[in-house]
Amino acid sequence: MEKDIEVEELEKFEENDEPIIGMSFDSDVDLFIYFKEYGKRKGFPILRRTSRKDSDGILRNVTFACGRSGETRSKSVNILKPQPNAKTGCNARLGAGLGDDGKWTIRSLNLEHNHVLLTPTKSKYFRCNRSLNTYAKKRLDVNDRAGIRLCKNYQSLVIEAGGHENVTFIERDCRNHVQKERRLRLGDGDAAALQNYFMKMQVEDNRFYFSMQVDDEGRLKNVFWAEPRNREAYKEFGDVVTFDTTYLTNKYDMPFAPFVGVNHHGYSILFGCGLISHEDIETLTWLFRTWLSCMSNSAPNGIITDQDRAMKVAIQNVFPNTRHRWCLWHIMKKVPEKLGGYKEYRNISNVLHCAVYDSQSATKFEETWHHMITEYDLGDNEWLRGLYDERHHWVPCYLNNTFWAGMSSTQRSESMNAFFDGYVNSKTTLKQFVEQYSCALKNKVQKEVEEDVRCLSQQMPCVTDYAMERQVRDVYTISKFQEFQQEMIRKMYCEYVNSMGCENIVREDVKVGEGKKRTFFEVYFEKENGEIRCSCSRFQFRGILCRHAIAIMIRNDVEVLPEKYILRKWRKDVWRCHSRVKTSYELHSCTDEQKRYEKMCATFAEVANMAAHTIESSNLVFNWIENVREDLSKAILCGDNEVIVVTGQGSCSVEVETVRDPAARRRKGRPPCQRKKSNKFSKSKINSSRSNAKDGQVNEQVPTVVPTHENNVVTAFQNPEGSYIDMNMYPHGVMDYYNGLMSLPHMVGDNVYTTPTQNSCTEPQFQQPGHFQQLLFQQDNEYEVDKEFRSDFVE
């Protein structure tokens, strides 16, 4: 680790040097370094108290004082919780002036302190004695861009230095430096920096999509963006999407709203995301319409969200033909809260779980549900009544005609939120949040690439001699083949009972606690056309053929699966367009200066590795470094005399208005002052922003589409009364603020959304946007009676 110039200067002074009046120094910097070292030895901090310049602007007098001089007014709002204060009114100080000979001379001196002095080992922690050298700063910057948490970032520097006693900084200094560097990258305004960042990303790749919505005052309300890879991945895996808005950690408390799907390995994949100001009908409608426009107006077959009325109305308005499913886990999680007060709660819970998870048909569910209501006198329970009215949105047996890729909850969106934990906090700005999103995308892409390589270079062994197992192994990814293999293994617990024509009865023994439970399933099989359906609906839900169907096929001497039961979504031998799209995070990972620095460090490391073997080679390198350091110092001094005029960071063809930062939003839920109170004594209900959906309606909006530049559109939504809901929308990133923009009369219908031209894929195997593989069979409950699936919903 290189030495700081200050450390080298301090070595000029003897440890026993005491300041006296009349001592002279070449500069005020030398005087400051001397007095700081003296304070470090004696155990007190120092600071520059006063300074005075003459009419020519030349510094003439300075006063350095003890860091504990003066008084500090308490900034604590609560006087009963005062904060610690380092100021004691100490009068120790040193005054110096610039003489005619150009020397700085000590003219006044007071070394008497009114506080305890520390030892040198402790005084090094004073702020004036702490400093980050260049090497540490670079390491912090590189590790921060890599997403390494600050605590680990700091610890790596400590270990490299050989312990805390060998570093000249503390973790707080590292945190302040990282935050300062982030602010420097932002520019003047947070929203304006985000706008510039998006425009720069789009210059690099015109497929990068973003949209920003501002209010009447020009403040940012909502923003949506999607990487080119997100858009291409949606064409392949966008049949089912989960959407969740529960993540609120950023500077403005704007909910994070990611659109998440499932790729061919069963991993989460991003389809874009937004930061929104509210969770009401109007805002969610804007977000869904913007996302739909980004995805070439190709709506998903199914979408999974939490149980929210505003979201339900927005989805009905924007995705009228999309099947909407509520998160089952969130609903079942509320059972103890809503029903825990009943005397027969345990029995009620068992019957409810049986109705939800074990019902293979709507008739069976309603029979079990009505039995529960009448048996335990639950007819007056409003929560259960509401759930029954909306049973088509959450009960698995009612969702049996849509493929869900094995998802019945928003857990994938929440797992995406968990990725940000430790990387963002309440001070995270919008641009930092977007950069972290790019980092999340980078990790997802890397994981997908690694898994692709593993699937193509490795092969899972078969556990049976059936040809269908080898058939699936050769075409499916490893993770999906393992799911099918588990079905083959669990087939041993299934037994054929009887059949009548094409209908077969299969019995399965399932372990429940210490005992076992026998469950019967109906399997419909037509050998002539290869048609097979099971009442468990596992294939319709997950896309993996169930063990009951496999047992009937083997009984009827079917050796290989019909091709329609080998889904393209899970295949490893398919060329997918999104895998060829480069991610945008690589384009803006570091500045040119950082790239040069890292390239030199890599080269220096090679030289150091070669020279470290002998003393002679090491000395040769050290001498060369000293010579180069002197030459660079001279070059830098000469360069300081040059005047560099910076005219701006870029150019724009039109004059653009600066987007103002969004107003900080209040979080949903209980106010902070009441969060620590017991629920027993605090029953106040707080209306969230979602309460705006009480009427279940959304204001009609007529989009005004005004063509500006080629392949770019600026849109403003106008309601029937003529007031503008969206002052400015930037559907493809280019913003145009002409004075007459909002008065242009070009009007189109509600369902018309102009989108930019996209790069098309010429690979013959690629599916066109919006044409997803359709399944012929109905979707039903994944969970049946198997306890292993119920564990997915246990908190």
Side-chain angles (χ1 to χ4, degrees):
M1 187 177 293
E2 65 180 72
K3 297 181 179 180
D4 291 328
I5 297 177
E6 292 185 3
V7 177
E8 296 177 355
E9 293 292 335
L10 290 175
E11 295 176 353
K12 299 178 182 179
F13 306 104
E14 297 293 335
E15 288 192 1
N16 295 328
D17 265 353
E18 292 285 340
I20 58 175
I21 295 179
M23 290 183 66
S24 297
F25 299 86
D26 293 335
S27 66
D28 61 315
V29 176
D30 290 341
L31 175 59
F32 175 77
I33 294 174
Y34 164 76
F35 195 50
K36 184 177 71 170
E37 176 63 13
Y38 172 77
K40 184 177 180 180
R41 296 199 313 266
K42 295 299 183 180
F44 66 91
I46 71 164
L47 53 80
R48 184 189 291 264
R49 191 67 181 175
T50 60
S51 62
R52 184 182 66 82
K53 295 182 180 179
D54 59 16
S55 58
D56 296 330
I58 299 176
L59 185 64
R60 289 294 179 183
N61 296 283
V62 295
T63 301
F64 299 117
C66 174
R68 306 190 68 176
S69 61
E71 297 180 356
T72 300
R73 295 181 180 178
S74 177
K75 298 180 181 179
S76 178
V77 178
N78 190 344
I79 61 175
L80 298 180
K81 294 183 178 180
Q83 299 296 320
N85 185 9
K87 301 298 184 180
T88 62
C90 181
N91 292 322
R93 63 190 59 202
L94 180 152
L98 179 63
D100 296 336
D101 56 354
K103 298 286 188 178
W104 283 85
T105 305
I106 299 178
R107 296 177 180 176
S108 61
L109 186 65
N110 181 5
L111 300 179
E112 297 295 329
H113 298 269
N114 65 351
H115 54 85
V116 177
L117 300 179
L118 306 183
T119 61
T121 56
K122 293 183 175 62
S123 62
K124 73 174 186 177
Y125 294 107
F126 289 138
R127 182 181 303 177
C128 62
N129 297 324
R130 305 196 310 262
S131 63
L132 275 170
N133 56 37
T134 304
Y135 174 79
K137 292 178 180 178
K138 294 292 184 180
R139 280 284 302 275
L140 289 170
D141 294 340
V142 171
N143 292 342
D144 181 58
R145 293 199 312 271
I148 299 176
R149 299 187 181 187
L150 186 66
C151 58
K152 295 183 178 180
N153 203 346
Y154 168 70
Q155 194 62 26
S156 66
L157 293 173
V158 172
I159 294 175
E160 187 174 0
H164 290 275
E165 65 277 3
N166 296 325
V167 294
T168 59
F169 49 85
I170 59 177
E171 185 173 345
R172 186 192 308 165
D173 300 324
C174 299
R175 189 179 305 277
N176 292 339
H177 170 75
V178 169
Q179 293 178 353
K180 178 182 177 182
E181 289 299 313
R182 290 175 177 175
R183 288 194 300 270
L184 291 176
R185 294 198 301 264
L186 287 177
D188 296 333
D190 192 10
L194 182 64
Q195 170 186 336
N196 295 332
Y197 176 81
F198 282 155
M199 295 182 69
K200 186 177 180 180
M201 296 283 280
Q202 194 185 58
V203 169
E204 299 290 344
D205 192 335
N206 60 4
R207 293 173 297 177
F208 183 89
Y209 187 105
F210 75 95
S211 179
M212 304 177 75
Q213 185 186 37
V214 297
D215 59 16
D216 296 338
E217 299 179 355
R219 289 189 179 275
L220 180 64
K221 287 178 58 180
N222 309 301
V223 59
F224 168 82
W225 71 98
E227 301 261 359
R229 189 181 179 99
N230 300 152
R231 304 178 72 183
E232 295 299 329
Y234 178 77
K235 298 174 184 178
E236 185 71 30
F237 304 113
D239 43 6
V240 185
V241 174
T242 66
F243 179 79
D244 183 68
T245 61
T246 58
Y247 195 81
L248 296 171
T249 304
N250 57 68
K251 182 178 179 180
Y252 304 99
D253 282 346
M254 298 178 71
F256 174 53
F259 295 87
V260 182
V262 179
N263 67 5
H264 52 303
H265 299 290
Y267 296 154
S268 299
I269 189 167
L270 289 161
F271 298 141
C273 71
L275 289 169
I276 56 179
S277 56
H278 298 91
E279 296 178 71
D280 53 14
I281 297 177
E282 178 185 323
T283 302
L284 292 173
T285 299
W286 174 88
L287 180 62
F288 290 152
R289 281 179 174 167
T290 304
W291 179 72
L292 185 63
S293 176
C294 173
M295 300 305 171
S296 305
N297 290 327
S298 176
N301 295 333
I303 185 170
I304 305 173
T305 69
D306 59 0
Q307 186 182 0
D308 178 68
R309 183 171 179 79
M311 203 172 296
K312 177 184 176 182
V313 174
I315 289 175
Q316 289 175 347
N317 292 333
V318 183
F319 309 120
N321 299 321
T322 297
R323 195 67 184 272
H324 183 198
R325 182 171 191 159
W326 287 348
C327 175
L328 182 59
W329 183 85
H330 280 98
I331 293 176
M332 301 307 292
K333 180 184 177 182
K334 297 178 182 178
V335 171
E337 174 188 350
K338 300 294 184 179
L339 305 177
Y342 288 93
K343 183 178 180 180
E344 299 290 334
Y345 164 71
R346 185 175 297 277
N347 294 332
I348 296 174
S349 178
N350 291 337
V351 176
L352 177 61
H353 280 74
C354 181
V356 173
Y357 296 127
D358 296 347
S359 297
Q360 300 180 27
S361 65
T363 303
K364 180 63 176 177
F365 169 79
E366 295 192 9
E367 178 184 338
T368 308
W369 182 277
H370 291 307
H371 169 74
M372 176 187 69
I373 297 297
T374 56
E375 179 72 18
Y376 301 104
D377 193 19
L378 301 174
D380 296 333
N381 190 289
E382 293 293 335
W383 183 70
L384 289 177
R385 185 182 305 168
L387 286 182
Y388 182 77
D389 293 339
E390 300 288 353
R391 59 191 180 279
H392 297 278
H393 284 94
W394 65 278
V395 180
C397 64
Y398 288 97
L399 299 162
N400 56 6
N401 58 353
T402 304
F403 174 62
W404 296 101
M407 296 186 294
S408 61
S409 70
T410 59
Q411 58 185 353
R412 290 187 180 271
S413 296
E414 294 171 358
S415 66
M416 187 58 59
N417 295 339
F419 175 86
F420 290 82
D421 289 340
Y423 299 105
V424 296
N425 50 56
S426 59
K427 297 182 180 179
T428 300
T429 60
L430 298 182
K431 181 171 178 289
Q432 293 166 7
F433 202 102
V434 174
E435 289 176 337
Q436 191 58 39
Y437 169 86
S438 296
C439 186
L441 176 61
K442 173 193 67 175
N443 286 354
K444 293 295 181 183
V445 170
Q446 181 63 25
K447 188 174 182 179
E448 180 178 326
V449 171
E450 292 175 357
E451 195 64 20
D452 286 340
V453 173
R454 189 169 80 99
C455 290
L456 296 175
S457 60
Q458 300 179 19
Q459 192 177 63
M460 286 287 296
C462 293
V463 296
T464 70
D465 293 331
Y466 292 111
M468 64 176 63
E469 185 181 5
R470 296 192 299 272
Q471 174 193 9
V472 175
R473 181 194 63 181
D474 293 339
V475 296
Y476 271 15
T477 60
I478 291 179
S479 58
K480 289 302 169 181
F481 168 68
Q482 287 177 326
E483 292 184 27
F484 179 81
Q485 193 175 61
Q486 285 300 311
E487 296 299 317
M488 294 289 295
I489 294 173
R490 295 184 66 88
K491 184 183 68 67
M492 70 175 66
Y493 301 108
C494 299
E495 182 179 351
Y496 168 79
V497 179
N498 57 50
S499 62
M500 181 177 295
C502 296
E503 296 181 355
N504 303 268
I505 304 297
V506 176
R507 183 186 68 195
E508 181 182 8
D509 295 333
V510 180
K511 183 178 181 181
V512 179
E514 297 298 327
K516 70 176 181 178
K517 179 180 180 180
R518 286 188 172 181
T519 307
F520 296 89
F521 299 90
E522 298 180 5
V523 180
Y524 178 86
F525 178 59
E526 291 184 8
K527 188 174 182 180
E528 292 75 14
N529 57 12
E531 184 94 4
I532 189 165
R533 294 192 302 269
C534 181
S535 59
C536 74
S537 300
R538 181 180 295 271
F539 178 76
Q540 290 84 351
F541 181 79
R542 286 188 178 273
I544 301 294
L545 206 60
C546 68
R547 46 192 172 270
H548 320 113
I550 293 174
I552 295 299
M553 294 178 73
I554 292 176
R555 177 180 174 80
N556 287 271
D557 299 325
V558 178
E559 297 183 357
V560 296
L561 300 181
E563 198 60 33
K564 56 186 173 183
Y565 298 107
I566 303 294
L567 298 190
R568 182 184 190 276
K569 187 181 183 76
W570 310 135
R571 295 180 73 106
K572 64 181 178 182
D573 56 351
V574 174
W575 184 91
R576 293 182 169 88
C577 192
H578 79 284
S579 62
R580 303 299 193 272
V581 180
K582 292 184 178 179
T583 53
S584 301
Y585 70 89
E586 298 172 336
L587 303 175
H588 306 280
S589 58
C590 58
T591 63
D592 293 337
E593 179 184 354
Q594 292 168 336
K595 291 178 180 178
R596 292 192 296 268
Y597 176 84
E598 292 172 0
K599 185 176 181 180
M600 287 188 291
C601 285
T603 305
F604 291 158
E606 295 179 2
V607 174
N609 187 43
M610 297 170 58
H613 296 291
T614 63
I615 297 178
E616 292 77 9
S617 58
S618 299
N619 291 334
L620 178 64
V621 173
F622 287 141
N623 294 333
W624 173 79
I625 291 176
E626 290 298 327
N627 295 332
V628 172
R629 181 183 298 175
E630 294 178 3
D631 294 339
L632 287 175
S633 300
K634 295 177 182 178
I636 293 174
L637 291 176
C638 295
D640 290 340
N641 297 327
E642 299 179 0
V643 178
I644 301 176
V645 180
V646 180
T647 57
Q649 296 181 351
S651 61
C652 186
S653 58
V654 294
E655 184 178 356
V656 297
E657 178 183 343
T658 302
V659 180
R660 298 176 61 191
D661 293 346
R665 303 294 175 184
R666 177 184 166 277
R667 293 172 180 260
K668 293 169 56 180
R670 183 177 300 170
C673 62
Q674 298 182 14
R675 286 177 187 163
K676 295 183 179 179
K677 293 183 180 180
S678 170
N679 292 331
K680 181 177 179 180
F681 301 101
S682 177
K683 297 293 184 180
S684 60
K685 295 184 179 180
I686 302 170
N687 294 326
S688 68
S689 59
R690 294 180 178 176
S691 63
N692 297 329
K694 291 181 179 179
D695 55 353
Q697 302 294 328
V698 61
N699 293 334
E700 294 185 8
Q701 298 178 353
V702 180
T704 302
V705 182
V706 185
T708 55
H709 303 284
E710 184 178 359
N711 295 335
N712 296 284
V713 173
V714 176
T715 305
F717 279 106
Q718 185 182 32
N719 63 16
E721 290 76 17
S723 62
Y724 286 93
I725 298 174
D726 292 5
M727 289 296 295
N728 296 287
M729 287 180 61
Y730 322 119
H732 200 55
V734 174
M735 287 147 288
D736 207 339
Y737 289 87
Y738 290 112
N739 295 330
L741 175 63
M742 307 309 253
S743 61
L744 292 177
H746 186 69
M747 309 292 290
V748 297
D750 282 340
N751 296 325
V752 178
Y753 295 91
T754 305
T755 54
T757 303
Q758 300 183 22
N759 295 345
S760 60
C761 178
T762 58
E763 180 68 20
Q765 291 180 316
F766 180 73
Q767 295 180 340
Q768 293 299 322
H771 295 275
F772 302 109
Q773 193 168 15
Q774 301 294 325
L775 300 179
L776 300 177
F777 309 110
Q778 294 184 334
Q779 159 66 27
D780 199 357
N781 176 17
E782 152 199 30
Y783 311 99
E784 22 172 291
V785 297
D786 201 334
K787 189 176 180 181
E788 65 172 310
F789 298 107
R790 293 189 182 181
S791 63
D792 295 341
F793 301 92
V794 177
E795 187 178 7

